[in-house]
Amino acid sequence: MTQSVIQANESRAAIYRMLASLYFKELTDEQLDHIKELDFSTFEGLDEGFAEGCRDIERYLRKKNSATRQLLAVDYAGAILGAGVHEERRATPYESVFTSDDGLMMQDARDDVCKLMLEAHLEVDEKLRVPEDHLSFMFEYLAIMAERCNELLEVGVDAEALENLRTEQAFHRDHLMNWIDEYCDCLEGCAETRFYRGVAKMTRSFVHLDGELLADLIEAVEEMAAEAPPAEESAA
């Protein structure tokens, strides 16, 4: 059972890191070439919404040419950065924007996320000048926590791994599920390219799916922790 939990966490971390890279900044030609070469068929059985988003991205990149990177950069700037847009709502990827009364950055959500990251001994590079409740940083946080859980499982510290998973579950519930649907609706509505509409579909689907995955992983590790011998007995 331990190995299946580890494999699930490895997959979760990889997907969260992929999603984080899609939101962090405009994609380079190298990144687009890498995405184009991915075998999206491996995701077909994961979830239909996720698979649909993958197909959107795959089909868009089939026609990649010398103008693709610039077209996507323009779409990213308009849909996600809100560049040049003053009246219409854009999909700026900050929890504060979607959960505060006035739709502003640097509100309570940012403070809460910052506190949780510090408790996990994680800090966003100050040079980036980007608030901690940016979707990329939140996805990266969950990827790192999944990897830490595996490190604990590999040395047999099931109780601490369980605590780690419960921390992830609370973060996921309180700082993703509370705004991800509204955010993805916004991105699907304002994105000009099929690529970023596909990103929105992938994001929505995986965040929902991970809530179920976390519940299953917690149940599995609870069983493992309950079956583990007491520390003194195992040391003997």
Side-chain angles (χ1 to χ4, degrees):
M1 186 181 293
T2 299
Q3 195 56 39
S4 65
V5 173
I6 288 174
Q7 289 174 348
N9 275 329
E10 288 175 346
S11 296
R12 293 177 57 238
I15 293 173
Y16 270 130
R17 282 223 166 83
M18 177 182 69
L19 291 174
S21 71
L22 294 173
Y23 286 102
F24 184 56
K25 59 183 178 181
E26 299 95 334
L27 296 167
T28 64
D29 266 323
E30 290 76 12
Q31 286 176 300
L32 291 174
D33 287 337
H34 174 71
I35 295 169
K36 186 179 179 181
E37 295 303 316
L38 290 175
D39 181 9
F40 285 103
S41 65
T42 60
F43 297 118
E44 287 293 328
L46 184 61
D47 175 85
E48 178 52 35
F50 193 89
E52 183 180 345
C54 288
R55 289 193 292 270
D56 284 344
I57 291 172
E58 182 181 30
R59 288 167 184 167
Y60 184 86
L61 291 181
R62 280 178 192 168
K63 301 177 181 178
K64 182 178 181 293
N65 55 42
S66 59
T68 301
R69 189 204 66 79
Q70 182 60 28
L71 289 171
L72 289 177
V74 170
D75 198 20
Y76 180 92
I80 295 177
L81 296 182
V85 180
H86 304 289
E87 296 181 1
E88 297 178 15
R89 192 177 197 187
R90 300 280 105 171
T92 46
Y94 298 95
E95 182 184 355
S96 290
V97 171
F98 281 83
T99 59
S100 64
D101 292 338
D102 297 321
L104 300 175
M105 294 170 59
M106 300 291 287
Q107 302 301 302
D108 289 346
R110 177 264 172 189
D111 295 341
D112 290 343
V113 169
C114 183
K115 178 176 178 291
L116 291 169
M117 288 183 176
L118 289 174
E119 288 175 356
H121 305 290
L122 298 172
E123 290 186 69
V124 173
D125 188 346
E126 291 183 359
K127 295 178 182 177
L128 294 174
R129 298 184 181 277
V130 178
E132 287 79 358
D133 61 338
H134 190 290
L135 201 52
S136 289
F137 299 151
M138 297 166 82
F139 287 159
E140 182 67 18
Y141 168 87
L142 286 168
I144 291 171
M145 293 294 281
E147 291 168 345
R148 288 182 178 178
C149 180
N150 280 354
E151 292 171 1
L152 293 166
L153 290 170
E154 286 168 354
V155 296
V157 192
D158 295 346
E160 291 185 26
L162 179 58
E163 182 180 352
N164 178 292
L165 284 169
R166 286 172 174 162
T167 298
E168 285 188 66
Q169 186 182 51
F171 185 92
H172 178 278
R173 179 191 64 235
D174 298 339
H175 292 288
L176 282 178
M177 288 300 295
N178 58 323
W179 67 291
I180 204 65
D181 284 327
E182 185 179 359
Y183 177 79
C184 291
D185 284 343
C186 185
L187 181 54
E188 282 194 66
C190 66
E192 297 290 338
T193 62
R194 187 175 190 175
F195 182 94
Y196 278 110
R197 290 194 292 272
V199 169
K201 292 174 186 176
M202 287 174 57
T203 301
R204 183 202 308 271
S205 176
F206 185 70
V207 169
H208 279 270
L209 179 63
D210 198 42
E212 300 173 12
L213 289 172
L214 279 166
D216 290 342
L217 293 175
I218 287 171
E219 183 178 351
V221 178
E222 281 177 339
E223 293 180 15
M224 291 159 52
E227 293 171 0
E232 292 182 3
E233 181 180 330
S234 60

